[in-house]
Amino acid sequence: MAEPPSPSTNQTSTSTSSSSSSSNTAITDLNMDSLVHCTSYLNLRDISNLAMSCSYLRRVAYSDPIWLRFSRERWSEQISSSFPQASGVREAYLARHTALNQFKFIDPLVADSYKEAQPFNHLFLDKNDIIFSQGSSVHMMRIDSFLGGRPSLSRLFDHNATITCIRLFPLAETSLFRRETQRNDNVLVTSSCDHSIRLWWKGTCQRCFRGHNGPITTLSDKLLGDGSGKIFASGGVDATVRLWSLSSTGKRGQQALKATLYGHDKAIVSMSVAGHKSSLLVSISKYSKVRVWDTTTASSAVRSSCCVGVTSVPGAPVGMKCHESLVYVATGSSVVAIDLRTMQKVFTAAIHRGELFSFEALPSKSLICTGGTDRAMLWDIRRSSEPMTVLDGHTGAVTQLHMDPYKIVTGGVEDSYVHVWETDTGVQTNSLFCGSPDASSSSPGCSAMAVNGCRIVTASYRELLGLVRYRDFTNATCLVSSDLREHGSKFWGPQSYSDTDESDG
């Protein structure tokens, strides 16, 4: 007769069985309330990923308690409790998020800062900073200090001629500073007619790059290359493209110039990094000759053989944007798409009526917007023979144009308002006044504009005064009346202001 198993054998068997049983437990075996509780440790992106995993977890991710938490975290409980609840909390959250991004409110936080009466050449909205240039100086305003009534303006005076281009590059993509520095910061890069490029961080010039034989006209819109050895490009009146290393040491940027690329015979107007290959740089010159450079082969000090494609487009260049293997080039009165692999025109994306003054593309939605003499036009590039809609009601040329998945913002130096439109439909959602509250009918138009999510900054100037106006719609609650939108009214006029004014000199 076989002996009965010993107690230790039973314990081992029980332990193995228990372990086997626990290893077969899946997350979907938990009830919904338990899973909802677990999501308190997840952010919005995590919840979105959870919803895409399976139908059961999608029901969890769409449940009301989760979206009530997000609403209260992002907006006050008083605001979130007033959401329209007819379609559920998640739908109400998304509706409010969309409406805020489309500026569909009349009560944003508004603050003014008065500046010198000079043209605003560039304007950026970067996290907690407003950055703009006037003449040869760059100005940086800390938004939290500005709104708190404390001194907030820093002036960067190192250039001695007009600023021609400003870029913000992620510090994390460079090897400039030690790893313990704040890797979420951006470094500021400026070019000037004084033949120099300067790199700034925390309000101080860290590098000065020299090499061009004339004014520098433009900088690449992104860093080139992979890994920590990334470079950026500059183009100038001397018709050269120059590549610069961001890992060079020394304040003067010694040995930073990696290559000089020859081939253009006129001043470089614009440059963009290819979407499908980060080592490819696309440049366009004054008379719309387009060249593509493979910067991985530009290892010597002077190189022209790294040009891997050339084509020409009729008309004066207005703008350029790369997406995947295509580059959209706006020149004269049209926008064409060129395949960077063959340098052949693939299609004409838009044919504007009259001269183009501005251009933006949103290839992920197959949309292009063009600014003309007194109107903007929205195009679906899948059917470009006629515009999808006309964005009308402007005064003068549309020289300022922003486009993102939620909204289009248009303005110009002759128009006292910037106008906001839904990206998908072209329906107008708001008009924002750019002048002073006491301005007359001859109020200046928008000379520069920057948009970031629910925030917008406009800059205008006239004979005696420059004005930077900051608006934040994040906690706005009062919707623009649909009746007003239908009648095309101006929603922000001089009579409707309760701004916080601040003069920083």
Side-chain angles (χ1 to χ4, degrees):
M1 179 181 293
E3 294 183 3
S6 64
S8 59
T9 304
N10 281 334
Q11 290 173 2
T12 302
S13 176
T14 303
S15 175
T16 303
S17 175
S18 175
S19 174
S20 174
S21 175
S22 62
S23 65
N24 293 329
T25 301
I27 189 172
T28 51
D29 293 332
L30 296 174
N31 62 48
M32 189 166 291
D33 289 340
S34 299
L35 286 171
V36 168
H37 175 74
C38 292
T39 62
S40 62
Y41 298 95
L42 304 180
N43 59 31
L44 188 57
R45 177 172 292 183
D46 296 332
I47 294 297
S48 299
N49 293 333
L50 187 71
M52 293 187 290
S53 58
C54 70
S55 59
Y56 179 70
L57 293 180
R58 181 167 61 250
R59 291 198 301 272
V60 173
Y62 284 9
S63 62
D64 286 354
I66 292 175
W67 293 92
L68 279 172
R69 173 173 67 87
F70 286 140
S71 300
R72 290 165 181 166
E73 288 175 355
R74 182 165 184 182
W75 307 297
S76 68
E77 187 168 349
Q78 180 180 2
I79 294 175
S80 61
S81 64
S82 65
F83 287 178
Q85 302 284 319
S87 301
V89 180
R90 176 179 175 273
E91 288 73 17
Y93 176 97
L94 296 176
R96 175 171 168 78
H97 174 77
T98 298
L100 290 172
N101 276 274
Q102 293 174 339
F103 298 168
K104 290 184 176 180
F105 296 83
I106 63 172
D107 59 338
L109 171 65
V110 186
D112 289 346
S113 181
Y114 293 99
K115 306 300 175 188
E116 298 173 1
Q118 293 184 34
F120 293 84
N121 299 318
H122 307 90
L123 182 62
F124 284 82
L125 185 54
D126 175 42
K127 298 174 184 173
N128 193 38
D129 291 310
I130 298 172
I131 304 167
F132 61 92
S133 67
Q134 289 183 295
S136 62
S137 62
V138 180
H139 304 253
M140 302 182 69
M141 294 171 55
R142 300 292 292 178
I143 295 174
D144 53 1
S145 298
F146 167 46
L147 296 178
R150 302 186 300 275
S152 62
L153 186 67
S154 300
R155 290 184 174 92
L156 313 179
F157 287 112
D158 294 46
H159 285 295
N160 54 38
T162 302
I163 306 293
T164 56
C165 190
I166 294 179
R167 299 292 188 215
L168 292 168
F169 296 135
L171 180 61
E173 295 185 14
T174 74
S175 56
L176 285 168
F177 306 105
R178 294 176 300 178
R179 291 186 180 275
E180 58 265 25
T181 59
Q182 299 179 31
R183 304 294 289 181
N184 291 327
D185 283 0
N186 288 322
V187 291
L188 176 69
V189 180
T190 59
S191 63
S192 169
C193 289
D194 65 6
H195 307 190
S196 76
I197 302 165
R198 293 183 180 271
L199 184 147
W200 314 81
W201 189 54
K202 293 189 178 299
T204 303
C205 181
Q206 303 287 334
R207 302 283 191 278
C208 179
F209 306 101
R210 294 186 182 274
H212 281 278
N213 299 320
I216 300 166
T217 51
T218 188
L219 301 168
S220 57
D221 58 351
K222 298 176 184 176
L223 295 177
L224 290 142
D226 299 313
S228 60
K230 292 192 175 184
I231 60 176
F232 72 94
S234 62
V237 172
D238 59 6
T240 66
V241 173
R242 298 181 189 248
L243 305 179
W244 307 88
S245 170
L246 283 171
S247 59
S248 61
T249 59
K251 184 152 185 169
R252 296 184 179 274
Q254 294 95 332
Q255 301 179 346
L257 181 61
K258 293 302 179 185
T260 301
L261 312 180
Y262 294 94
H264 285 291
D265 55 4
K266 298 295 179 183
I268 311 297
V269 174
S270 182
M271 296 188 297
S272 184
V273 178
H276 70 299
K277 191 175 181 182
S278 62
S279 63
L280 292 183
L281 176 70
V282 186
S283 60
I284 186 169
S285 62
K286 185 176 180 181
Y287 294 127
S288 300
K289 178 164 285 188
V290 180
R291 286 183 175 268
V292 182
W293 313 88
D294 186 350
T295 59
T296 57
T297 64
S299 56
S300 62
V302 179
R303 178 77 70 170
S304 59
S305 59
C306 64
C307 181
V308 295
V310 183
T311 190
S312 294
V313 184
V318 176
M320 180 171 63
K321 185 179 182 69
C322 287
H323 176 68
E324 296 179 347
S325 60
L326 297 180
V327 58
Y328 296 90
V329 183
T331 59
S333 60
S334 65
V335 181
V336 299
I338 299 169
D339 191 327
L340 296 174
R341 297 166 297 186
T342 63
M343 296 308 293
Q344 298 297 313
K345 184 177 81 171
V346 181
F347 55 85
T348 299
I351 302 177
H352 200 93
R353 295 164 188 163
E355 184 181 0
L356 284 180
F357 290 90
S358 55
F359 150 80
E360 276 291 343
L362 196 63
S364 61
K365 285 181 172 282
S366 301
L367 295 175
I368 282 177
C369 192
T370 55
T373 303
D374 59 357
R375 67 190 63 188
M377 293 185 178
L378 182 62
W379 307 80
D380 185 334
I381 61 178
R382 295 165 294 190
R383 46 183 181 87
S384 59
S385 58
E386 291 293 332
M388 193 172 108
T389 187
V390 176
L391 313 181
D392 218 338
H394 299 83
T395 301
V398 180
T399 55
Q400 302 296 322
L401 182 56
H402 166 86
M403 191 177 189
D404 64 38
Y406 295 98
K407 60 188 172 295
I408 300 166
V409 187
T410 56
V413 293
E414 300 176 50
D415 200 333
S416 299
Y417 292 82
V418 293
H419 308 276
V420 190
W421 321 78
E422 291 182 3
T423 298
D424 291 329
T425 64
V427 172
Q428 188 170 6
T429 65
N430 213 331
S431 288
L432 310 174
F433 188 65
C434 297
S436 301
D438 58 349
S440 65
S441 58
S442 60
S443 178
C446 178
S447 63
M449 176 178 72
V451 182
N452 186 332
C454 300
R455 304 179 297 164
I456 179 172
V457 179
T458 58
S460 58
Y461 73 98
R462 48 184 174 177
E463 292 82 3
L464 302 175
L465 187 68
L467 174 65
V468 175
R469 170 158 291 155
Y470 171 80
R471 290 182 174 92
D472 187 347
F473 286 82
T474 302
N475 292 312
T477 58
C478 187
L479 283 164
V480 173
S481 168
S482 59
D483 293 336
L484 290 177
R485 289 204 301 272
E486 289 172 4
H487 290 86
S489 298
K490 303 298 185 183
F491 315 123
W492 278 100
Q495 72 281 1
S496 62
Y497 269 91
S498 58
D499 296 358
T500 301
D501 296 341
E502 176 187 331
S503 177
D504 291 311

